[in-house]
Amino acid sequence: MTISLKYRIALVVFVLQVAIFSPLLWFTFTAYRDADLQQLQTREDVFMRLVSQLGRKALLTAEPTDFQLFIAPFSKDSHINRIILLNQSGIVVASTAPVDLGGPLPVQKNERNTVWKTSEIANATEQLGAITVHFSRAELDKKVEALVKRGIPIAVAGIILSALVGLGLGSLLTRRLKALEQATRRMGAGDMEVTVAISGNDEVAHLAQVFNEMSGSLRSQFDELQQVQQELSFQAQHDPLTGLPNRLLFDLRCSQAIATARQHKQLLALLFFDLDHFKNINDSYGHQVGDAVLRCVAARLTMALKDHNLIARLGGDEFCVLIEQLEQEQEAAAVAESVLHMLTVPLECEQHEFFLSASIGICLYPRDGDDEVRLLRNADTAMYRAKAAGRGGYRFYSHEQTSSVQERTSLEQRLRKAIERGELRLNYQPQVCLTTGNLVGVEALARWSSPEFGLVAPEKFIPIAEESGQILAMGEWILDDACRQMQKWRRDGSTIPRVAVNLSALQIQRSDIATLVRRTLDSTGLPANCLELEITEGYILQDADRAVAVLQQLRDLGVSIAIDDFGTGFSSLSYLHRLPIDRLKIDKSFVQEIGSTSRAAQVAQAVVSLGKTLGLSIIGEGVEQLHHANALREWGCHEGQGFLYAPALAPDQLHLLAPFKRLP
Ligand SMILES: Nc1nc2c(ncn2[C@@H]2O[C@@H]3COP(=O)(O)O[C@H]4[C@@H](O)[C@H](n5cnc6c(=O)[nH]c(N)nc65)O[C@@H]4COP(=O)(O)O[C@H]3[C@H]2O)c(=O)[nH]1
C-alpha cells in the first residue's frame, strides 16, 4: 500500500506531537502531583510533631483525656483517618474511632491512598510510648485525577489540531508538487508549452524554476526536432528537383481522394504524361539542361493547374495530375488540353530554345479503376496510345488499350531478336522525276516479317523501336543494308542515282551519326552522293540549333539531306533558310488532298512555292492519282513518290520497273 506524501507528512507530525507531548504531559502531571505530595508530607510532619508533643504530655501526666478531646475532631478530617496514642506497653490510650482504647495497636493494613506514620515518644531516659497517625491521600489523588481529566481532552485536542496542521502543511507542499507532477505528465504526453507557476523562494519554487527551464530547453529542442522532421517528411514526399509531390505522396493523396470520391459518389480523373522525346534533350545537352527543362515544365504546370489539381512528378519526365470532384469527363480533357497548350510555348532554358510536347493518358475513377495502382497503370496505358497516335495529344483509357499494350510489349520483346534472326528486310520505293518519268532514286523502307505476328507494319514497329532504343542498332543495320544494296545495284549496272534512308531522331541525337555514315560509306564503298538521308521535320523543330550542326556535318560528307513529312510540323522560314538541306518532302497527307478544296491541298502548293523560293528540290510523297502528279508538276514540284508509280518493292523486283514512263 502506498501512502501519499501528504498523509505521510501528517502522520509524521502526528507521531512527533504524540512523542513530544505525551512525556511532557506526563512530566507536568507528576511534577504537579509531587509538589502537592511534598506539601502534604510537610503538613503531615508538622502535624506529627504537634501530636507527638501533646501525646508526650498525656503520657507523662498519664492523663490522656485532654489528648483524646484534642484528637476527637480529627475523626471528621478527610485527610486523617486515625490517630492512635500508645503507651509504653503498646496499649492504645487515646485514639479516634474506630480503634478501641485499652487494646493493642490494630494491624496496620496498607489501604489504597493511605499512609501510616509513627513517631516514638520518649524522654531523656526511657521510651514513653508512640503516636501513629493514619493519613489519607485520597484528596491528592482526586485532585490529580481531576487535573488529568481536564488535561487529557486539551492534549488530545492539541494533538488532533497538530495532526490537522500537519495535514494542511502536507497538502500545501504536495499541492505544488502535484502541480509539478501534472505538468511533467502533460509534457510527457507531448504538450511542450506547459510551465508551472513559481511561488515563494523555497526548494519547491526552485524545483519549479528548474522545471520551467528544462521545459523551455526541451521546447526549443522539440521545435528544432519538429522542423527537422517536417523537412525530412517534406523531402521524403517531394521531388527534390521540382519541389512537386513525389510518387509516395501522390499515391497517398490519390488513395485519400478515391476514398472521398467513393463516399460522396464523385468522379476523379488521373492524367499521366511524359514529355515527347525528352531523352533526346538529356542525351544531347546533358542532364543539367534536362533537369532545368523539367524544372521549367514543373513551374509551368503549377502555374497552369494550381487551382484545383494535385500535380506530381513520378520520376524522369513523367508527371501526373489528379483532378478531384469532376462533374464530367470533358473537364479532364480540358485540363489535358491546357497542359498541351502550355507546352506549345517555346521554352527558353539554359540559353537554348526547346519546343516541347507531351503525350497524355487519362483515366477516370470509378470507370477505369477503383484504386490508385490500377488508375495509374491504365493512365499509363492510355498515354502509350496517345504516343502511338502520333504524340502531342491525349487519349482516354479504354479496356481495349490494355490488350493493345500487352501486344506492344510482346512485339517489343520479339523485335529485339528480329535482326539477328533475319526477320527484317528492306524494300525500296521508287522516286520519280515528275517531268521525265525517270527513276531518280529509291527510298529504303523497313519490313518486318515475324513468324508470330506475320507482316508487321513499320508504323507499328518503328515507334516501338524508337521508344525502346532499339532503333539505334536497327538504324545502323538499315543504313548498312541500304548502302550495300545500292552498291550492288551499281555494280550490276543499274542507273538508280540515289538511295534515301530514313534516320530516326534518336539516331541523330544519341549516336555520332556523321561517323556512322562515314564508316558505312567506307565499308560498303558507296559514293556519298548516292546516299540521301531523310530526317523528319519534327526532329529539327525539337532542336533547330543542334540540327543545323549535325546536318552540316552530314552534308560535309557529301550526302544529301531531305526533310521528311514536311508540312506536318510548325515550319517557319526563320529556321528553314538556315538548314543545310537539299530537298523537301511534302507529306502524303497534303498530296492526297490535291484536287479537293481542302486547306491541305493549298498547303501542298504553298510548300512547293516555299521550296522553290529557298532553292530546294521538292518531292511529293503519297502520289496515288494521276491528278496528284499533274498538279504537283504544274506547281513546279520536281519529283514524286507513291503508289501511282510503285509501292515499296523487294530489291530483286525493282529492276523490272525502271524506267518509269507512267506520265501522261
Ligand atoms: N497511302 C500511301 N502511302 C504511301 C504511298 N507511297 C508511299 N507510301 C508510304 O508512305 C510511307 C513513306 O515513308 P515515310 O514517310 O518515311 O514513313 C515511314 C517512316 O517514317 C517509317 N520507316 C519505314 N522504314 C523506316 C526505316 O528504315 N527507318 C526509319 N527510321 N523509319 C522507317 O515508317 C513510316 C511508314 O513506312 P511505310 O509503312 O513503309 O510507309 C511508307 C510508304 O509505304 C502512297 O501513294 N499512298
Side-chain angles (χ1 to χ4, degrees):
M1 189 185 75
T2 50
I3 304 173
S4 77
L5 187 59
K6 181 170 99 173
Y7 290 108
R8 266 194 244 179
I9 291 171
L11 196 68
V12 167
V13 171
F14 177 76
V15 170
L16 275 176
Q17 292 280 345
V18 172
I20 294 167
F21 286 106
S22 301
L24 208 66
L25 217 59
W26 179 250
F27 175 77
T28 311
F29 285 147
T30 46
Y32 180 77
R33 188 176 181 281
D34 289 351
D36 263 16
L37 189 63
Q38 216 173 356
Q39 217 178 357
L40 200 63
Q41 280 172 343
T42 312
R43 273 169 47 210
E44 284 169 2
D45 291 346
V46 170
F47 185 73
M48 283 301 285
R49 270 201 298 281
L50 179 70
V51 289
S52 291
Q53 282 173 8
L54 291 172
R56 172 193 288 239
K57 199 171 162 192
L59 287 174
L60 282 174
T61 57
E63 190 51 66
T65 313
D66 289 346
F67 186 74
Q68 184 64 42
L69 285 173
F70 170 71
I71 62 173
F74 286 105
S75 61
K76 288 188 183 114
D77 192 329
S78 61
H79 188 224
I80 298 166
N81 285 355
R82 264 155 254 163
I83 303 170
I84 303 165
L85 182 65
L86 300 169
N87 63 12
Q88 207 168 20
S89 316
I91 300 298
V92 176
V93 287
S95 76
T96 54
V99 180
D100 297 331
L101 296 176
L105 180 69
V107 178
Q108 297 179 3
K109 274 190 269 172
N110 260 339
E111 292 166 21
R112 197 172 154 263
N113 301 331
T114 56
V115 65
W116 285 99
K117 285 195 175 175
T118 303
S119 184
E120 303 283 323
I121 301 172
N123 60 13
T125 54
E126 59 177 337
Q127 177 80 28
L128 296 175
I131 179 99
T132 296
V133 181
H134 191 201
F135 291 107
S136 169
R137 299 269 173 87
E139 280 288 303
L140 177 68
D141 284 349
K142 260 190 214 161
K143 240 171 130 185
V144 170
E145 210 171 293
L147 192 70
V148 167
K149 268 187 188 160
R150 272 205 312 277
I152 281 183
I154 294 171
V156 168
I159 287 171
I160 289 173
L161 192 71
S162 64
L164 287 176
V165 168
L167 209 62
L169 206 71
S171 72
L172 198 75
L173 188 72
T174 52
R175 199 172 58 221
R176 292 159 72 201
L177 288 175
K178 196 105 189 142
L180 269 168
E181 183 203 335
Q182 278 170 357
T184 314
R185 274 189 203 286
R186 276 173 60 192
M187 189 187 278
D191 181 1
M192 289 295 149
E193 298 301 318
V194 64
T195 52
V196 281
I198 301 170
S199 59
N201 194 21
D202 54 13
E203 285 80 353
V204 180
H206 290 166
L207 188 62
Q209 196 176 351
V210 170
F211 175 88
N212 286 348
E213 283 167 15
M214 181 188 76
S215 102
S217 130
L218 275 179
R219 194 163 42 245
S220 64
Q221 283 177 24
F222 184 76
D223 287 350
E224 265 174 45
L225 212 67
Q226 257 190 340
Q227 223 174 332
V228 171
Q229 199 185 346
Q230 274 168 6
E231 264 168 39
L232 282 178
S233 119
F234 185 88
Q235 279 170 18
Q237 297 190 322
H238 289 80
D239 164 42
L241 181 69
T242 59
L244 290 177
N246 63 10
R247 177 70 183 257
L248 192 76
L249 185 57
F250 185 80
D251 281 354
L252 190 79
R253 293 266 179 87
C254 201
S255 78
Q256 287 167 350
I258 289 171
T260 313
R262 188 175 293 130
Q263 198 184 353
H264 297 102
K265 301 204 177 338
Q266 290 168 338
L267 266 184
L268 279 182
L270 199 145
L271 274 66
F272 182 81
F273 62 94
D274 70 16
L275 301 176
D276 298 329
H277 306 297
F278 176 72
K279 209 167 183 359
N280 300 340
I281 297 180
N282 262 346
D283 294 340
S284 312
Y285 296 97
H287 287 274
Q288 210 176 334
V289 175
D291 285 354
V293 169
L294 288 174
R295 269 197 297 271
C296 292
V297 169
R300 279 193 187 182
L301 275 175
T302 313
M303 284 277 286
L305 309 176
K306 65 182 173 221
D307 288 345
H308 46 289
N309 310 295
L310 169 70
I311 309 157
R313 180 182 170 223
L314 303 192
D317 60 331
E318 288 176 347
F319 293 88
C320 225
V321 178
L322 179 73
I323 313 166
E324 293 184 64
Q325 296 176 20
L326 212 66
E327 297 282 324
Q328 47 185 338
E329 64 180 65
Q330 279 321 306
E331 287 174 38
V335 174
E337 269 162 22
S338 67
V339 170
L340 294 173
H341 177 73
M342 171 205 90
L343 290 173
T344 56
V345 181
L347 191 90
E348 280 187 27
C349 201
E350 304 268 322
Q351 290 154 355
H352 299 282
E353 192 176 41
F354 296 100
F355 297 84
L356 300 174
S357 69
S359 304
I360 306 175
I362 308 173
C363 75
L364 302 168
Y365 167 87
R367 192 189 73 187
D368 303 329
D370 58 1
D371 61 54
E372 66 276 15
V373 176
R374 197 161 308 171
L375 284 175
L376 207 58
R377 196 177 55 220
N378 290 343
D380 188 22
T381 302
M383 183 188 77
Y384 272 100
R385 293 311 303 161
K387 277 198 188 300
R391 296 188 161 88
Y394 65 88
R395 281 284 181 281
F396 276 93
Y397 172 77
S398 70
H399 290 293
E400 298 75 54
Q401 288 172 5
T402 303
S403 56
S404 109
V405 165
Q406 282 162 356
E407 188 202 32
R408 185 189 178 284
T409 311
S410 51
L411 272 177
E412 188 184 323
Q413 284 162 358
R414 293 299 310 179
L415 192 58
R416 286 187 193 283
K417 305 270 176 190
I419 300 176
E420 60 190 61
R421 286 182 182 165
E423 294 170 10
L424 274 185
R425 61 193 160 76
L426 292 181
N427 278 0
Y428 296 88
Q429 187 175 32
Q431 296 176 329
V432 177
C433 170
L434 287 175
T435 324
T436 63
N438 289 337
L439 184 67
V440 287
V442 287
E443 180 183 2
L445 291 163
R447 297 288 175 259
W448 178 22
S449 175
S450 156
E452 282 98 350
F453 304 104
L455 205 61
V456 186
E459 266 150 352
K460 206 164 196 177
F461 73 83
I462 293 285
I464 294 176
E466 281 173 341
E467 265 153 38
S468 61
Q470 295 180 53
I471 195 72
L472 294 175
M474 195 185 280
E476 215 168 300
W477 176 84
I478 290 168
L479 184 67
D480 184 78
D481 205 54
C483 291
R484 218 164 278 284
Q485 180 59 52
M486 184 65 185
Q487 188 61 343
K488 183 172 180 298
W489 281 325
R490 280 166 51 86
R491 275 202 301 267
D492 292 349
S494 159
T495 51
I496 304 170
R498 62 170 196 258
V499 61
V501 174
N502 286 287
L503 286 185
S504 139
L506 199 68
Q507 278 177 284
I508 310 170
Q509 286 154 344
R510 287 191 44 195
S511 60
D512 183 356
I513 190 68
T515 307
L516 177 73
V517 171
R518 171 78 272 152
R519 219 173 45 220
T520 310
L521 290 174
D522 287 350
S523 67
T524 57
L526 184 71
N529 63 359
C530 292
L531 177 65
E532 181 157 281
L533 298 172
E534 289 190 9
I535 289 142
T536 57
E537 187 188 15
Y539 160 68
I540 293 164
L541 281 170
Q542 277 174 40
D543 184 358
D545 291 343
R546 190 173 144 82
V548 170
V550 175
L551 296 187
Q552 192 58 57
Q553 283 174 9
L554 290 170
R555 211 131 172 272
D556 290 347
L557 295 174
V559 299
S560 55
I561 310 281
I563 301 293
D564 204 0
D565 304 333
F566 192 79
T568 54
F570 301 94
S571 311
S572 77
L573 278 172
S574 68
Y575 83 82
L576 260 184
H577 81 273
R578 289 164 52 209
L579 290 175
I581 52 173
D582 303 277
R583 216 176 315 282
L584 290 184
K585 246 186 135 174
I586 312 171
D587 189 66
K588 57 179 174 281
S589 59
F590 301 112
V591 172
Q592 284 166 1
E593 290 297 320
I594 293 174
S596 75
T597 51
S598 74
R599 283 179 67 86
Q602 294 168 4
V603 172
Q605 190 175 1
V607 170
V608 175
S609 318
L610 178 70
K612 283 199 312 196
T613 313
L614 293 169
L616 299 170
S617 169
I618 303 145
I619 178 168
E621 188 183 58
V623 180
E624 290 182 358
Q625 310 287 330
L626 205 54
H627 70 268
H628 296 159
N630 288 340
L632 286 170
R633 192 176 55 249
E634 274 168 34
W635 294 336
C637 177
H638 310 103
E639 298 168 359
Q641 176 185 343
F643 295 163
L644 177 67
Y645 307 107
L649 297 165
D652 56 350
Q653 295 177 325
L654 200 73
H655 70 280
L656 301 172
L657 297 172
F660 292 88
K661 292 290 183 193
R662 303 281 299 269
L663 298 166

